[in-house]
Amino acid sequence: MPEEYLLFRGAHSDVRPCARTCTLVRENGAVTSATDRPLPAAARLIATDLDGTLLRDDKTVSDRTVAALAAAEEAGIEVFFVTGRPARWMGVVSDHVHGHGLAICANGAAVADLHDGGRLLKVRPLEREAALDVVHALRTAAPGTSFAVELATGINYEPAYPAFHLDPGATVAFAEKLLREEAPGTDAPVLKLLAHHGELAPDDFLALARAAAGDRASFTRSSPSALLEVSGPGVSKASTLELCCAERGVSPAEVVAFGDMPNDVEMLSWAGTSYAMGNAHPAALAAATGRTVTNNEDGVAVVIERIIAERALSRSEHRTSANPLHGSDH
């Protein structure tokens, strides 16, 4: 296995994977808006999802959001992009990663260096045996399910999987063949197994899959269709973010997180302050401490601007209190 596949095997995490359909994570009462939610006294890290959150529906980053991200970094606040996307799909934001250059990809299965072409620094794989168990379980529990296999090197998929045009070099074969190694340890790590059903409702499919194979893997979803994303046990955006924060000495209370879909629920629950987008799934709304406006209204930028403004005001007030005669005619 290449040296860049550094595994987090055995790493301790206080983040618990969601073993059932998430409907309520925090008992925090009604969420508050972007303008009335108290912000942390010293935000040190912003963790934001991309699709449906930072990106507009046309998959662009607005000028306002670009400016807000730059302002956050200039103010000493690290920004982590935390996404279900693979590293090779991070070009849309790679120019907006400052400082560390890192992004958490594939729902926490990989940490990529966007300053180095998306090179994978850390991988938390789904073991092939477990992935095969999931395939067999879902073929039985939900006949008609089709699969794709997201590897550290690219994606392969079954003939019945929805037409896929972003990775023209993919291998097309049944999942059982795609997951079979020619020799143990010789193939690239599996980051995610994708499972699609053409008839089931998305949340119903998620609940069914968790009931059928939740002991073998972590299940979530981020697509409006019945497309499930399957990771290794305990792997989530939250658990990998927790590891990255621990390396930096950043506590949950110092993190502000943004998201919109079920794959953001654990992250929104873990962060000390979190915002669900105005367009968010009910599970994300239930998990977050606050609510901002939609992705098309630059909801992430709205909150970041407020963080920067409050920090500037606090510093101004501190300077005034330290020098009460400053600006006085007396």
Side-chain angles (χ1 to χ4, degrees), residues 177-255:
K177 180 177 181 180
L178 296 175
L179 289 167
R180 190 179 303 122
E181 291 181 291
E182 293 183 4
T186 61
D187 288 343
V190 176
L191 301 185
K192 291 194 298 183
L193 179 70
L194 302 172
H196 179 267
H197 201 282
E199 298 179 3
L200 292 173
D203 286 334
D204 291 345
F205 189 28
L206 179 58
L208 183 153
R210 284 174 170 164
D215 60 334
R216 301 295 290 139
S218 297
F219 292 81
T220 191
R221 54 172 288 259
S222 61
S223 170
S225 65
L227 176 63
L228 305 186
E229 301 164 63
V230 187
S231 304
V235 175
S236 69
K237 290 183 176 185
S239 59
T240 300
L241 176 62
E242 181 184 29
L243 291 167
C244 291
C245 286
E247 292 174 352
R248 289 162 171 73
V250 175
S251 70
E254 297 170 307
V255 176

Side-chain angles (χ1 to χ4, degrees), residues 63-82:
D63 291 343
R64 181 181 184 181
T65 297
V66 169
L69 294 173
E73 292 282 359
E74 186 175 352
I77 303 171
E78 290 190 280
V79 177
F80 264 80
F81 298 136
V82 189

Side-chain angles (χ1 to χ4, degrees), residues 55 67-68 97 109 122 133 137 160 189 198 201 214 226 228 230-231 234 263 268 296 317:
L55 304 182
V97 179
K122 299 175 183 177
D133 289 344
L228 305 186
V230 187
S231 304
N263 66 331
L268 294 173
N296 285 331
E317 291 175 344

Side-chain angles (χ1 to χ4, degrees), residues 146-162:
S146 59
F147 298 93
V149 180
E150 177 70 48
L151 302 172
T153 53
I155 192 167
N156 301 315
Y157 51 90
E158 293 190 321
Y161 194 79

Side-chain angles (χ1 to χ4, degrees), residues 11-320:
H12 172 73
S13 172
D14 293 328
V15 178
R16 296 187 298 275
C18 191
R20 54 183 174 80
T21 302
C22 295
T23 55
L24 180 62
V25 176
R26 298 181 197 255
E27 294 182 358
N28 60 352
V31 296
T32 54
S33 74
T35 56
D36 62 12
R37 168 69 191 172
L39 292 168
R44 293 181 58 194
L45 188 144
I46 290 169
T48 178
D49 171 52
L50 296 183
D51 297 281
T53 300
L54 189 80
L55 304 182
R56 291 184 168 181
D57 287 348
D58 62 2
K59 305 304 179 185
T60 63
V61 185
S62 73
D63 291 343
R64 181 181 184 181
T65 297
V66 169
L69 294 173
E73 292 282 359
E74 186 175 352
I77 303 171
E78 290 190 280
V79 177
F80 264 80
F81 298 136
V82 189
T83 178
R85 289 182 173 220
R88 66 184 180 281
W89 290 1
M90 295 296 287
V92 66
V93 293
S94 60
D95 290 339
H96 310 305
V97 179
H98 306 274
H100 55 76
L102 304 182
I104 296 172
C105 301
N107 288 333
V111 177
D113 184 351
L114 301 189
H115 286 170
D116 192 13
R119 183 171 64 92
L120 300 187
L121 303 178
K122 299 175 183 177
V123 169
R124 304 176 68 194
L126 171 63
E127 299 298 338
R128 289 171 183 259
E129 181 180 352
L132 283 167
D133 289 344
V134 171
V135 168
H136 297 152
L138 292 188
R139 289 208 196 281
T140 299
T145 300
S146 59
F147 298 93
V149 180
E150 177 70 48
L151 302 172
T153 53
I155 192 167
N156 301 315
Y157 51 90
E158 293 190 321
Y161 194 79
F164 210 83
H165 305 292
L166 293 177
D167 292 273
T171 297
V172 180
F174 287 108
E176 287 83 354
K177 180 177 181 180
L178 296 175
L179 289 167
R180 190 179 303 122
E181 291 181 291
E182 293 183 4
T186 61
D187 288 343
V190 176
L191 301 185
K192 291 194 298 183
L193 179 70
L194 302 172
H196 179 267
H197 201 282
E199 298 179 3
L200 292 173
D203 286 334
D204 291 345
F205 189 28
L206 179 58
L208 183 153
R210 284 174 170 164
D215 60 334
R216 301 295 290 139
S218 297
F219 292 81
T220 191
R221 54 172 288 259
S222 61
S223 170
S225 65
L227 176 63
L228 305 186
E229 301 164 63
V230 187
S231 304
V235 175
S236 69
K237 290 183 176 185
S239 59
T240 300
L241 176 62
E242 181 184 29
L243 291 167
C244 291
C245 286
E247 292 174 352
R248 289 162 171 73
V250 175
S251 70
E254 297 170 307
V255 176
V256 181
F258 300 87
D260 71 307
M261 289 296 283
N263 66 331
D264 298 312
V265 162
E266 291 92 344
M267 179 174 73
L268 294 173
S269 180
W270 177 81
T273 303
S274 58
Y275 288 87
M277 309 305 292
N279 48 287
H281 185 281
L285 289 169
T289 62
R291 179 174 181 172
T292 185
V293 295
T294 69
N295 61 317
N296 285 331
E297 298 172 287
D298 300 327
V300 174
V302 168
V303 177
I304 293 177
E305 289 166 358
R306 184 178 164 219
I307 292 173
I308 300 301
E310 290 196 4
R311 178 168 293 196
L313 178 61
S314 176
R315 288 176 177 172
S316 176
E317 291 175 344
H318 177 73
R319 287 195 297 269
T320 300

